[in-house]
Coordinates of all heavy atoms in Angstrom, one line a residue:
M29 N -12.4 -13.7 34.5 CA -12.9 -15.0 34.1 C -12.7 -16.0 35.3 O -13.6 -16.9 35.4 CB -12.1 -15.5 32.9 CG -12.4 -14.7 31.7 SD -11.4 -15.2 30.2 CE -9.9 -14.4 30.6
G30 N -11.7 -15.8 36.1 CA -11.6 -16.7 37.3 C -12.7 -16.5 38.2 O -13.3 -17.5 38.8
A31 N -13.1 -15.2 38.4 CA -14.3 -15.0 39.3 C -15.6 -15.6 38.7 O -16.4 -16.1 39.4 CB -14.4 -13.5 39.5
T32 N -15.7 -15.5 37.4 CA -16.9 -16.1 36.7 C -16.9 -17.6 36.9 O -17.9 -18.2 37.2 CB -16.9 -15.8 35.2 OG1 -16.8 -14.4 35.0 CG2 -18.2 -16.3 34.6
W33 N -15.7 -18.2 36.9 CA -15.6 -19.7 37.0 C -16.0 -20.1 38.5 O -16.7 -21.1 38.7 CB -14.2 -20.2 36.7 CG -14.0 -21.6 36.9 CD1 -14.8 -22.6 36.4 CD2 -13.0 -22.2 37.7 NE1 -14.3 -23.8 36.8 CE2 -13.2 -23.6 37.6 CE3 -11.9 -21.7 38.4 CZ2 -12.3 -24.5 38.3 CZ3 -11.1 -22.6 39.1 CH2 -11.3 -24.0 39.0
V34 N -15.5 -19.3 39.4 CA -15.7 -19.6 40.8 C -17.2 -19.3 41.2 O -17.8 -20.1 41.9 CB -14.8 -18.7 41.8 CG1 -15.2 -18.8 43.2 CG2 -13.4 -19.2 41.6
L35 N -17.8 -18.2 40.7 CA -19.1 -17.8 41.1 C -20.2 -18.6 40.3 O -21.3 -18.8 40.8 CB -19.3 -16.3 40.9 CG -18.5 -15.4 41.8 CD1 -18.7 -14.0 41.4 CD2 -18.8 -15.7 43.2
V36 N -19.9 -18.9 39.0 CA -21.0 -19.6 38.2 C -20.5 -21.0 37.9 O -20.8 -21.9 38.6 CB -21.3 -18.7 37.0 CG1 -22.5 -19.3 36.2 CG2 -21.6 -17.3 37.4
D37 N -20.0 -21.2 36.7 CA -19.5 -22.5 36.3 C -18.4 -22.3 35.2 O -18.2 -21.3 34.6 CB -20.6 -23.4 35.9 CG -21.4 -22.9 34.7 OD1 -20.8 -22.2 33.9 OD2 -22.6 -23.3 34.6
L38 N -17.8 -23.4 34.8 CA -16.7 -23.4 33.8 C -17.3 -23.1 32.4 O -16.6 -22.4 31.7 CB -16.0 -24.8 33.8 CG -14.7 -24.9 33.0 CD1 -13.8 -23.8 33.5 CD2 -14.2 -26.2 33.1
N39 N -18.5 -23.5 32.1 CA -19.0 -23.2 30.8 C -19.3 -21.7 30.6 O -18.9 -21.1 29.6 CB -20.4 -23.9 30.6 CG -20.9 -23.8 29.2 OD1 -20.1 -23.7 28.2 ND2 -22.2 -23.8 29.0
T40 N -19.8 -21.0 31.6 CA -20.0 -19.6 31.5 C -18.7 -18.8 31.5 O -18.6 -17.8 30.8 CB -20.8 -19.1 32.8 OG1 -22.1 -19.9 32.8 CG2 -21.2 -17.6 32.7
A41 N -17.7 -19.3 32.2 CA -16.4 -18.7 32.1 C -15.8 -18.8 30.8 O -15.2 -17.9 30.2 CB -15.5 -19.3 33.2
G42 N -16.0 -19.9 30.1 CA -15.5 -20.1 28.7 C -16.2 -19.2 27.7 O -15.6 -18.6 26.8
Q43 N -17.5 -19.0 27.9 CA -18.2 -18.1 27.0 C -17.8 -16.7 27.2 O -17.7 -15.9 26.3 CB -19.7 -18.3 27.3 CG -20.3 -19.6 26.8 CD -21.7 -19.9 27.1 OE1 -22.3 -19.1 27.9 NE2 -22.3 -20.9 26.6
T44 N -17.6 -16.3 28.5 CA -17.1 -15.0 28.8 C -15.8 -14.7 28.2 O -15.5 -13.7 27.6 CB -17.1 -14.8 30.3 OG1 -18.3 -15.0 30.9 CG2 -16.6 -13.4 30.7
A45 N -14.9 -15.7 28.3 CA -13.6 -15.5 27.6 C -13.7 -15.4 26.1 O -12.9 -14.6 25.5 CB -12.7 -16.7 28.0
S46 N -14.6 -16.1 25.5 CA -14.8 -16.0 24.1 C -15.2 -14.6 23.7 O -14.8 -14.1 22.7 CB -15.8 -17.1 23.6 OG -15.3 -18.4 23.8
V47 N -16.2 -14.1 24.4 CA -16.7 -12.8 24.1 C -15.6 -11.7 24.3 O -15.4 -10.8 23.4 CB -17.9 -12.4 25.0 CG1 -18.3 -11.0 24.8 CG2 -19.1 -13.3 24.6
I48 N -14.9 -11.8 25.3 CA -13.8 -10.9 25.6 C -12.7 -11.0 24.5 O -12.2 -9.9 24.0 CB -13.2 -11.1 27.0 CG1 -14.2 -10.7 28.1 CG2 -11.9 -10.3 27.1 CD1 -13.8 -11.0 29.5
G49 N -12.4 -12.2 24.1 CA -11.4 -12.4 23.0 C -11.9 -11.8 21.7 O -11.1 -11.2 20.9
C50 N -13.1 -12.0 21.4 CA -13.7 -11.5 20.2 C -13.7 -9.9 20.1 O -13.3 -9.3 19.2 CB -15.1 -12.0 20.0 SG -16.0 -11.4 18.5
V51 N -14.1 -9.3 21.3 CA -14.1 -7.9 21.3 C -12.7 -7.3 21.2 O -12.5 -6.3 20.5 CB -14.8 -7.4 22.7 CG1 -14.5 -5.9 22.9 CG2 -16.2 -7.7 22.6
V52 N -11.7 -7.9 21.9 CA -10.3 -7.5 21.8 C -9.8 -7.6 20.3 O -9.1 -6.7 19.8 CB -9.4 -8.2 22.8 CG1 -8.0 -8.0 22.5 CG2 -9.8 -7.8 24.2
G53 N -10.2 -8.7 19.7 CA -9.8 -8.9 18.3 C -10.3 -7.9 17.3 O -9.7 -7.3 16.5
I54 N -11.6 -7.6 17.5 CA -12.3 -6.6 16.6 C -11.7 -5.2 16.9 O -11.4 -4.5 15.9 CB -13.8 -6.6 16.9 CG1 -14.4 -7.9 16.3 CG2 -14.5 -5.4 16.2 CD1 -15.9 -8.1 16.6
L55 N -11.5 -4.9 18.1 CA -10.9 -3.6 18.4 C -9.5 -3.5 17.9 O -9.1 -2.4 17.4 CB -10.8 -3.3 19.9 CG -12.2 -3.1 20.6 CD1 -12.0 -3.0 22.1 CD2 -12.8 -1.8 20.0
G56 N -8.7 -4.6 17.9 CA -7.4 -4.6 17.3 C -7.4 -4.3 15.8 O -6.6 -3.6 15.2
L57 N -8.3 -5.0 15.1 CA -8.5 -4.8 13.7 C -8.9 -3.4 13.3 O -8.4 -2.8 12.4 CB -9.5 -5.8 13.1 CG -9.0 -7.3 13.0 CD1 -10.2 -8.2 12.6 CD2 -7.9 -7.4 12.0
L58 N -9.9 -2.9 14.1 CA -10.3 -1.5 13.8 C -9.2 -0.5 14.0 O -9.0 0.4 13.2 CB -11.5 -1.2 14.7 CG -12.8 -1.8 14.3 CD1 -13.9 -1.5 15.3 CD2 -13.3 -1.4 12.9
F59 N -8.4 -0.7 15.1 CA -7.3 0.2 15.3 C -6.3 0.2 14.2 O -5.8 1.2 13.7 CB -6.6 -0.2 16.7 CG -5.4 0.7 17.0 CD1 -5.5 2.0 17.4 CD2 -4.2 0.2 16.7 CE1 -4.4 2.7 17.7 CE2 -3.0 0.9 17.0 CZ -3.2 2.2 17.4
T60 N -6.0 -1.0 13.7 CA -5.0 -1.2 12.6 C -5.5 -0.6 11.4 O -4.8 0.1 10.7 CB -4.7 -2.7 12.4 OG1 -4.2 -3.3 13.6 CG2 -3.7 -2.9 11.3
L61 N -6.8 -0.8 11.0 CA -7.3 -0.2 9.8 C -7.4 1.3 9.9 O -7.2 2.0 8.9 CB -8.7 -0.8 9.5 CG -8.7 -2.2 9.1 CD1 -10.1 -2.8 9.0 CD2 -8.0 -2.4 7.8
L62 N -7.8 1.9 11.0 CA -8.0 3.3 11.1 C -6.7 4.1 11.3 O -6.7 5.3 11.0 CB -9.0 3.6 12.3 CG -10.4 3.1 12.0 CD1 -11.3 3.3 13.2 CD2 -11.0 3.7 10.8
S63 N -5.7 3.5 11.9 CA -4.5 4.2 12.1 C -3.4 4.0 11.0 O -2.3 4.5 11.1 CB -3.9 3.7 13.5 OG -3.5 2.4 13.4
A64 N -3.7 3.2 10.0 CA -2.8 3.0 8.9 C -2.6 4.3 8.1 O -3.5 5.1 7.9 CB -3.3 1.9 8.0
P65 N -1.3 4.5 7.7 CA -1.1 5.7 6.9 C -1.8 5.7 5.6 O -1.9 4.6 5.0 CB 0.5 5.7 6.7 CG 0.9 4.3 6.9 CD -0.1 3.7 7.9
R66 N -2.3 6.8 5.2 CA -3.1 6.9 3.9 C -2.2 7.5 2.9 O -1.7 8.6 3.0 CB -4.3 7.7 4.1 CG -5.2 7.1 5.2 CD -6.5 7.9 5.4 NE -7.2 7.5 6.5 CZ -8.1 6.6 6.5 NH1 -8.5 6.0 5.4 NH2 -8.7 6.2 7.6
R67 N -2.1 6.7 1.7 CA -1.2 7.2 0.6 C -2.1 7.3 -0.7 O -1.5 7.2 -1.7 CB 0.0 6.3 0.4 CG 0.9 6.3 1.6 CD 2.2 5.6 1.3 NE 2.8 5.9 0.1 CZ 3.7 6.8 -0.2 NH1 4.0 7.6 0.8 NH2 4.2 7.0 -1.4
A68 N -3.4 7.4 -0.5 CA -4.2 7.4 -1.7 C -4.0 8.6 -2.6 O -4.1 8.6 -3.8 CB -5.7 7.4 -1.3
N69 N -3.6 9.7 -2.0 CA -3.4 11.0 -2.8 C -1.9 11.2 -3.1 O -1.6 12.2 -3.7 CB -3.9 12.2 -2.0 CG -5.4 12.1 -1.7 OD1 -6.1 11.5 -2.5 ND2 -5.8 12.7 -0.7
A70 N -1.1 10.2 -2.8 CA 0.3 10.4 -3.1 C 0.6 10.3 -4.6 O 0.1 9.4 -5.3 CB 1.2 9.3 -2.4
A71 N 1.3 11.2 -5.2 CA 1.7 11.2 -6.6 C 2.7 10.1 -6.9 O 3.6 9.9 -6.1 CB 2.1 12.6 -7.0
P72 N 2.7 9.5 -8.0 CA 3.7 8.5 -8.4 C 5.1 9.1 -8.5 O 5.2 10.3 -9.0 CB 3.2 7.9 -9.7 CG 2.1 8.7 -10.2 CD 1.7 9.6 -9.1
R73 N 6.1 8.4 -8.2 CA 7.5 8.9 -8.2 C 8.4 8.0 -8.9 O 8.2 6.8 -8.8 CB 8.0 9.2 -6.8 CG 7.4 10.3 -6.1 CD 8.1 10.5 -4.7 NE 9.5 10.9 -4.9 CZ 10.3 11.0 -4.0 NH1 10.0 10.7 -2.8 NH2 11.6 11.3 -4.2
A74 N 9.4 8.5 -9.6 CA 10.5 7.7 -10.2 C 11.8 8.4 -9.8 O 12.0 9.5 -10.1 CB 10.4 7.7 -11.7
V75 N 12.6 7.7 -9.0 CA 13.8 8.2 -8.5 C 15.0 7.3 -8.8 O 14.9 6.1 -8.5 CB 13.7 8.5 -7.0 CG1 15.0 9.0 -6.4 CG2 12.5 9.4 -6.7
R76 N 16.1 7.8 -9.4 CA 17.3 7.0 -9.7 C 17.0 5.7 -10.5 O 17.3 4.6 -10.0 CB 18.0 6.7 -8.4 CG 18.7 8.0 -7.8 CD 19.5 7.6 -6.6 NE 18.8 7.1 -5.5 CZ 18.2 7.8 -4.6 NH1 18.1 9.1 -4.7 NH2 17.6 7.2 -3.5
T77 N 16.3 5.9 -11.6 CA 15.9 4.7 -12.4 C 17.1 4.4 -13.3 O 18.0 5.2 -13.5 CB 14.7 5.0 -13.2 OG1 15.0 6.2 -14.1 CG2 13.5 5.3 -12.4
G78 N 17.1 3.2 -13.8 CA 18.1 2.7 -14.7 C 17.9 3.2 -16.1 O 17.1 4.1 -16.4
R79 N 18.6 2.5 -17.1 CA 18.5 2.9 -18.5 C 17.5 2.0 -19.2 O 17.4 0.8 -18.8 CB 19.9 2.7 -19.1 CG 19.9 3.1 -20.6 CD 21.3 2.9 -21.2 NE 21.6 1.5 -21.2 CZ 22.7 1.0 -21.5 NH1 23.7 1.8 -21.8 NH2 22.9 -0.3 -21.5
A80 N 16.7 2.5 -20.1 CA 15.7 1.8 -20.9 C 16.1 1.9 -22.4 O 16.2 3.0 -22.9 CB 14.3 2.2 -20.6
T81 N 16.2 0.8 -23.1 CA 16.5 0.8 -24.5 C 15.5 -0.1 -25.2 O 15.4 -1.2 -24.8 CB 17.9 0.4 -24.8 OG1 18.8 1.2 -24.0 CG2 18.3 0.5 -26.2
T82 N 15.0 0.4 -26.3 CA 14.1 -0.5 -27.2 C 14.5 -0.3 -28.6 O 15.1 0.7 -29.0 CB 12.6 -0.1 -27.0 OG1 12.4 1.2 -27.5 CG2 12.2 -0.2 -25.6
T83 N 14.1 -1.3 -29.4 CA 14.3 -1.2 -30.9 C 13.1 -1.6 -31.6 O 12.3 -2.4 -31.0 CB 15.5 -2.1 -31.3 OG1 15.2 -3.4 -30.9 CG2 16.8 -1.6 -30.7
G84 N 12.9 -1.1 -32.8 CA 11.8 -1.6 -33.6 C 10.4 -1.1 -33.1 O 9.4 -1.8 -33.2
G85 N 10.3 0.2 -32.7 CA 9.0 0.7 -32.3 C 8.5 0.5 -30.9 O 7.3 0.6 -30.6
G86 N 9.4 0.2 -30.0 CA 9.0 0.0 -28.6 C 8.9 1.3 -27.9 O 9.0 2.4 -28.4
R87 N 8.6 1.1 -26.6 CA 8.5 2.3 -25.7 C 9.6 2.2 -24.6 O 9.6 1.2 -23.9 CB 7.1 2.3 -25.1 CG 6.1 2.6 -26.0 CD 4.7 2.6 -25.4 NE 3.7 2.9 -26.3 CZ 2.4 3.0 -26.0 NH1 2.0 2.9 -24.7 NH2 1.5 3.3 -26.9
A88 N 10.4 3.2 -24.4 CA 11.4 3.2 -23.4 C 11.0 4.3 -22.3 O 10.8 5.4 -22.6 CB 12.8 3.6 -24.0
N89 N 10.8 3.8 -21.1 CA 10.3 4.7 -20.0 C 11.1 4.5 -18.8 O 11.2 3.4 -18.2 CB 8.8 4.3 -19.7 CG 8.3 5.2 -18.6 OD1 8.7 6.3 -18.5 ND2 7.3 4.7 -17.9
T90 N 11.7 5.6 -18.3 CA 12.4 5.6 -17.1 C 11.8 6.7 -16.1 O 12.4 6.9 -15.1 CB 13.9 5.9 -17.2 OG1 14.1 7.2 -17.8 CG2 14.6 4.9 -18.1
G91 N 10.7 7.2 -16.5 CA 10.1 8.3 -15.7 C 8.7 7.8 -15.2 O 8.6 6.6 -14.8
V92 N 7.7 8.7 -15.2 CA 6.4 8.4 -14.7 C 5.4 8.7 -15.8 O 5.4 9.7 -16.4 CB 6.1 9.3 -13.5 CG1 4.7 9.1 -13.0 CG2 7.1 9.1 -12.3
V93 N 4.5 7.7 -15.9 CA 3.3 7.9 -16.8 C 2.1 8.0 -15.9 O 1.7 7.1 -15.3 CB 3.2 6.7 -17.8 CG1 2.0 6.9 -18.7 CG2 4.5 6.6 -18.6
S94 N 1.5 9.2 -15.9 CA 0.3 9.4 -15.0 C -0.5 10.6 -15.6 O 0.0 11.6 -16.0 CB 0.8 9.7 -13.6 OG -0.3 10.1 -12.8
R95 N -1.8 10.5 -15.5 CA -2.7 11.5 -15.9 C -2.8 12.6 -14.8 O -3.3 13.7 -15.0 CB -4.1 11.0 -16.3 CG -4.0 10.1 -17.5 CD -5.4 9.8 -18.0 NE -5.5 8.8 -19.0 CZ -5.1 8.9 -20.2 NH1 -4.8 10.1 -20.7 NH2 -5.2 7.9 -21.1
T96 N -2.5 12.2 -13.6 CA -2.6 13.1 -12.4 C -1.3 13.8 -12.0 O -1.3 14.4 -10.9 CB -3.2 12.4 -11.2 OG1 -2.4 11.3 -10.9 CG2 -4.6 11.8 -11.6
G97 N -0.3 13.6 -12.7 CA 1.0 14.2 -12.4 C 1.9 13.3 -11.6 O 1.5 12.1 -11.4
G98 N 3.0 13.7 -11.3 CA 4.0 12.9 -10.6 C 5.3 13.6 -10.4 O 5.4 14.8 -10.7
Q99 N 6.3 12.8 -10.1 CA 7.6 13.4 -9.8 C 8.7 12.4 -10.4 O 8.7 11.2 -10.1 CB 7.8 13.6 -8.3 CG 9.1 14.3 -8.0 CD 9.2 14.6 -6.5 OE1 8.3 14.2 -5.7 NE2 10.2 15.3 -6.1
A100 N 9.7 13.0 -11.1 CA 10.7 12.2 -11.7 C 12.1 12.9 -11.4 O 12.3 14.0 -11.7 CB 10.6 12.0 -13.2
E101 N 12.9 12.2 -10.6 CA 14.2 12.7 -10.2 C 15.3 11.8 -10.6 O 15.2 10.6 -10.4 CB 14.2 12.9 -8.7 CG 13.2 13.9 -8.2 CD 13.3 13.9 -6.6 OE1 14.2 13.4 -6.0 OE2 12.3 14.4 -6.1
D102 N 16.4 12.3 -11.2 CA 17.6 11.6 -11.5 C 17.3 10.3 -12.2 O 17.7 9.2 -11.9 CB 18.3 11.3 -10.2 CG 19.8 10.8 -10.4 OD1 20.3 11.1 -11.5 OD2 20.3 10.1 -9.6
T103 N 16.5 10.4 -13.3 CA 16.1 9.3 -14.1 C 17.2 8.9 -15.1 O 18.0 9.7 -15.5 CB 14.8 9.5 -14.9 OG1 15.0 10.6 -15.7 CG2 13.6 9.8 -13.9
G104 N 17.2 7.6 -15.4 CA 18.2 7.1 -16.4 C 17.8 7.5 -17.8 O 16.8 8.1 -18.1
D105 N 18.7 7.1 -18.7 CA 18.5 7.4 -20.2 C 17.4 6.5 -20.7 O 17.3 5.3 -20.4 CB 19.8 7.2 -20.9 CG 20.9 8.2 -20.5 OD1 20.5 9.3 -20.1 OD2 22.1 7.9 -20.6
A106 N 16.6 7.0 -21.6 CA 15.6 6.2 -22.4 C 15.9 6.4 -23.8 O 15.9 7.5 -24.4 CB 14.2 6.7 -22.0
T107 N 16.2 5.3 -24.5 CA 16.5 5.3 -26.0 C 15.6 4.4 -26.7 O 15.4 3.2 -26.3 CB 17.9 4.9 -26.2 OG1 18.8 5.7 -25.4 CG2 18.3 5.1 -27.7
S108 N 15.0 4.8 -27.8 CA 14.1 4.0 -28.5 C 14.3 4.3 -30.0 O 14.3 5.4 -30.4 CB 12.6 4.3 -28.2 OG 11.8 3.5 -29.0
Q109 N 14.5 3.2 -30.8 CA 14.6 3.4 -32.2 C 13.3 3.1 -32.9 O 12.9 2.0 -33.0 CB 15.7 2.4 -32.8 CG 17.1 2.7 -32.2 CD 18.1 1.7 -32.6 OE1 17.8 0.7 -33.3 NE2 19.3 2.0 -32.2
G110 N 12.6 4.2 -33.3 CA 11.3 4.0 -33.9 C 10.1 4.0 -33.0 O 9.0 3.8 -33.4
G111 N 10.3 4.3 -31.7 CA 9.3 4.3 -30.7 C 9.2 5.5 -29.9 O 9.7 6.6 -30.4
T112 N 8.7 5.5 -28.7 CA 8.6 6.7 -27.9 C 9.5 6.5 -26.7 O 9.8 5.4 -26.2 CB 7.1 6.9 -27.4 OG1 6.7 5.8 -26.7 CG2 6.3 7.2 -28.6
T113 N 9.9 7.6 -26.1 CA 10.7 7.6 -24.9 C 10.1 8.6 -23.8 O 9.4 9.5 -24.2 CB 12.2 8.0 -25.2 OG1 12.2 9.4 -25.7 CG2 12.8 7.1 -26.2
N114 N 10.4 8.3 -22.6 CA 10.0 9.1 -21.5 C 11.0 9.1 -20.4 O 11.3 8.0 -19.9 CB 8.6 8.7 -21.0 CG 8.2 9.5 -19.7 OD1 8.5 10.7 -19.7 ND2 7.6 8.9 -18.8
T115 N 11.6 10.2 -20.0 CA 12.5 10.3 -18.9 C 12.0 11.2 -17.8 O 12.6 11.4 -16.8 CB 13.9 10.8 -19.3 OG1 13.7 12.1 -19.9 CG2 14.5 9.8 -20.3
G116 N 10.8 11.7 -18.0 CA 10.2 12.7 -17.0 C 8.8 12.2 -16.6 O 8.6 11.1 -16.3
V117 N 7.9 13.2 -16.6 CA 6.5 12.9 -16.2 C 5.7 13.2 -17.5 O 5.8 14.3 -18.0 CB 6.0 13.8 -15.1 CG1 4.6 13.5 -14.7 CG2 6.9 13.5 -13.8
T118 N 4.9 12.2 -17.9 CA 4.0 12.4 -19.1 C 2.7 11.7 -18.9 O 2.6 10.8 -18.1 CB 4.7 11.9 -20.3 OG1 3.9 12.3 -21.5 CG2 4.9 10.4 -20.3
D119 N 1.7 12.2 -19.6 CA 0.4 11.5 -19.5 C 0.1 10.9 -20.9 O -1.0 10.3 -21.1 CB -0.7 12.4 -19.1 CG -1.0 13.5 -20.0 OD1 -0.2 13.7 -21.0 OD2 -2.0 14.2 -19.9
N120 N 1.0 11.1 -21.9 CA 0.8 10.6 -23.2 C 2.0 9.7 -23.6 O 3.0 10.2 -24.1 CB 0.6 11.8 -24.2 CG 0.3 11.3 -25.6 OD1 -0.1 10.2 -25.8 ND2 0.5 12.2 -26.5
F121 N 1.9 8.4 -23.3 CA 3.0 7.6 -23.6 C 2.5 6.3 -24.2 O 1.8 5.6 -23.8 CB 3.8 7.3 -22.3 CG 5.0 6.4 -22.5 CD1 6.1 6.9 -23.2 CD2 5.1 5.2 -22.0 CE1 7.2 6.2 -23.4 CE2 6.2 4.4 -22.2 CZ 7.3 4.9 -22.9

């Protein structure tokens, strides 16, 4: 940019700097978007959950509710009086 300012003028040097800054910004955004870890296929997980208690027909869930599967480890107790409970992996809750 200094060479552009010396050889041409200050306005052209400013425009050159703007184009270079824009290109660097776009490349930075593309790099960030393309190098981000992808977790779209990751199954839902429930690990070391607490206790869930409901009364009067509620739903107590300390696991995973998913139609595509999942993983439940060391889940807490789920107690429901008159409702449904889940401490593992289910698709019907």
